[in-house]
Amino acid sequence: NLTYFGVRDTEEPDDELMSKLNIKNYMVAEVRYRGIDVCIHETLEKLSDCDMIYISFDVDSLDPAFAPGTGTVEIGGLTTWQALEIIRGCAGLNLVGGDLVEVSPPFDPSGNTALIGANQRAPNPSSANQPRLAPLAPATNQPRSAGGCCASTGGRPATRW
C-alpha cells in the first residue's frame, strides 16, 4: 500500500503505474480543495490493514516559500502546517521507520529547510493528547494483516520504483 501527498509533477507513465498499482496520489490542488483532514482520513483507512508503516518525507513536496533548500524547487507545494498534519495524522500507527530526503544545504542559506526537516518527525506516543487540526480515523481492535505500507510526500513517483 502506498499513498503520496504533494506530488505536483507527474507524467502519463507515472499516472498509469500508480493507477495499475492502486497508489493514491493526493496532488496539492486536491489537498487544498478537499481539505487535509479528509485526505488524511482516507489514507488512514487505506493503511488500516497494515501492521508496519514507513514514512518517506520528501522536502520538495513543500512550497519553496517555506523550504527553498531542495534540489527540485517547484511552486505550489504543501504548507508547513499541512506537512505537520500529515505526520501528526500517523499518531497511533505502528511506525517502523522513515526517511527525510531532498534537503540540500547549498540551496538553503537561511537554514529554514533543514529546520523544517528536523521538525518532520514521528509523533511521540506521549503526545497523543496534543490537539491536532486533522481528526484521526477511529482506532480499531481488528488484527492487521502482515506486510508493510508506506505514506510518502512529494518527489517524482517514477524514481521510487
Side-chain angles (χ1 to χ4, degrees):
N1 296 311
L2 185 61
T3 300
Y4 284 110
F5 280 85
V7 176
R8 297 184 301 288
D9 183 23
T10 62
E11 296 175 5
E12 190 173 332
D14 301 330
D15 296 334
E16 290 172 359
L17 184 59
M18 286 187 284
S19 177
K20 178 182 175 184
L21 297 175
N22 193 31
I23 297 170
K24 177 60 180 164
N25 179 18
Y26 289 102
M27 304 282 281
V28 176
E30 181 178 0
V31 171
R32 287 192 180 127
Y33 178 76
R34 296 182 64 216
I36 190 74
D37 56 336
V38 171
C39 299
I40 290 171
H41 181 77
E42 289 175 358
T43 299
L44 293 175
E45 284 182 351
K46 180 179 180 179
L47 302 179
S48 66
D49 291 336
C50 301
D51 62 354
M52 296 179 288
I53 305 288
Y54 184 90
I55 296 176
S56 178
F57 188 88
D58 195 330
V59 168
D60 65 16
S61 67
L62 298 175
D63 191 276
F66 303 102
T70 184
T72 311
V73 176
E74 187 173 339
I75 63 168
L78 297 171
T79 66
T80 52
W81 74 264
Q82 288 170 323
L84 286 169
E85 284 303 297
I86 293 167
I87 300 298
R88 289 175 181 155
C90 295
L93 297 177
N94 184 25
L95 299 175
V96 295
D99 60 61
L100 173 72
V101 297
E102 294 293 329
V103 175
S104 180
F107 299 129
D108 190 24
S110 69
N112 286 347
T113 306
L115 180 62
I116 291 167
N119 283 291
Q120 302 300 322
R121 60 188 180 278
N124 181 337
S126 66
S127 65
N129 293 327
Q130 288 182 348
R132 65 180 104 266
L133 296 174
L136 299 178
T140 174
N141 291 327
Q142 302 279 334
R144 295 178 178 221
S145 63
C149 301
C150 179
S152 179
T153 63
R156 291 287 313 250
T159 65
R160 297 219 185 254
W161 322 115

